[in-house]
Amino acid sequence: GQNIDQPTEMTATEGAIVQINCTYQTSGFNGLFWYQQHAGEAPTFLSYNVLDGLEEKGRFSSFLSRSKGYSYLLLKELQMKDSASYLCAVRDVGDSSYKLIFGSGTRLLVRP
Amino acid sequence: DSGVTQTPKHLITATGQRVTLRCSPRSGDLSVYWYQQSLDQGLQFLIQYYNGEERAKGNILERFSAQQFPDLHSELNLSSLELGDSALYFCASSVSRDKTGNTIYFGEGSWLTVV
């Protein structure tokens, strides 16, 4: 089966750092993605990890541990515009097909 | 702008009716995905096509069907609509079916309201 867990909501202060965790269980694994989604808008790609370790991209970093089925998204120097939902998605390999399966998302509220 | 185009952007229809949602993938992308997102819910994978063929199926109801045409655009058909089908339907595309690291880009979505 497939299971992706993220916290439902998080709150942080402008200028601070926040870490959003994601744990997953899938029958196969071919990469983990993070997307940002503002309410009523399309998800936009943030990062991709397929090997263990940290990927840094400006204010955003993403970490993966395949043995633990764990990832996190780190957002630094938070800005008000970072208030959005953050979606963890795993590319699940099975039955000769690749599906991108999403968690329910973490709603982040950035306060002044 | 992701390059994925969806029409219509908004649609209101009555229960029992049938609608068709259309998606044009990014230029050069062969894979098309459909997702459903109900209010305050996560993205539910419906179905994936690659170069005209169905490649993966998710939680898609029997009342729903999709296809990908030779020009690579795709349509999602929703029939016998129920109130619970009201949702935001996203189309996404990627270059290939399964290349590692292949990013999936989303369209702006089609808002469906069933009354």
Side-chain angles (χ1 to χ4, degrees):
Chain A
Q2 304 153 341
N3 193 39
I4 301 174
D5 287 319
Q6 308 177 233
T8 304
E9 287 187 355
M10 298 183 71
T11 302
T13 304
E14 191 177 15
I17 299 173
V18 70
Q19 177 175 312
I20 302 174
N21 296 324
C22 171
T23 57
Y24 64 88
Q25 289 178 310
T26 55
S27 53
F29 178 83
N30 188 251
L32 186 143
F33 295 78
W34 285 95
Y35 283 81
Q36 180 192 60
Q37 185 181 27
H38 287 95
E41 298 183 8
T44 54
F45 170 76
L46 290 178
S47 70
Y48 168 77
N49 295 72
V50 67
L51 300 176
D52 291 351
L54 188 68
E55 293 284 339
E56 297 187 80
K57 197 187 259 189
R59 295 190 299 115
F60 295 76
S61 303
S62 57
F63 172 84
L64 175 67
S65 169
R66 289 172 296 169
S67 62
K68 296 181 180 178
Y70 167 71
S71 173
Y72 67 72
L73 179 69
L74 193 70
L75 292 78
K76 303 174 187 175
E77 301 170 14
L78 281 172
Q79 302 175 9
M80 299 299 290
K81 68 177 182 180
D82 297 330
S83 292
S85 287
Y86 291 85
L87 312 177
C88 172
V90 174
R91 196 194 302 271
D92 187 12
V93 179
D95 301 326
S96 301
S97 67
Y98 290 66
K99 306 175 188 178
L100 191 62
I101 306 299
F102 283 82
S104 297
T106 298
R107 194 178 307 168
L108 174 66
L109 175 63
V110 179
R111 291 182 171 165
Chain B
D1 182 6
S2 67
V4 180
T5 304
Q6 290 187 246
T7 57
K9 288 190 170 18
H10 295 89
L11 188 59
I12 301 175
T13 190
T15 54
Q17 295 298 305
R18 171 191 168 95
V19 299
T20 297
L21 309 180
R22 194 178 191 279
C23 170
S24 293
R26 295 188 321 154
S27 178
D29 284 4
L30 299 176
S31 264
V32 169
Y33 310 75
W34 286 98
Y35 286 85
Q36 179 194 56
Q37 187 173 41
S38 302
L39 192 62
D40 292 334
Q41 298 292 313
L43 285 160
Q44 297 296 318
F45 172 70
L46 296 179
I47 198 162
Q48 178 200 357
Y49 281 83
Y50 174 76
N51 204 20
E53 294 186 4
E54 181 184 307
R55 298 305 304 181
K57 219 168 187 177
N59 301 321
I60 187 167
L61 300 172
E62 286 191 10
R63 299 183 287 109
F64 296 179
S65 65
Q67 53 184 329
Q68 186 179 27
F69 295 87
D71 67 352
L72 301 178
H73 91 271
S74 177
E75 292 181 355
L76 179 67
N77 300 295
L78 314 175
S79 61
S80 303
L81 284 167
E82 302 175 359
L83 295 178
D85 297 327
S86 295
L88 188 51
Y89 290 84
F90 284 107
C91 171
S93 74
S94 63
V95 170
S96 67
R97 175 167 60 93
D98 51 30
K99 180 180 176 184
T100 298
N102 190 21
T103 301
I104 296 177
Y105 294 92
F106 283 79
E108 295 297 313
S110 292
W111 279 99
L112 173 66
T113 302
V114 182
V115 298

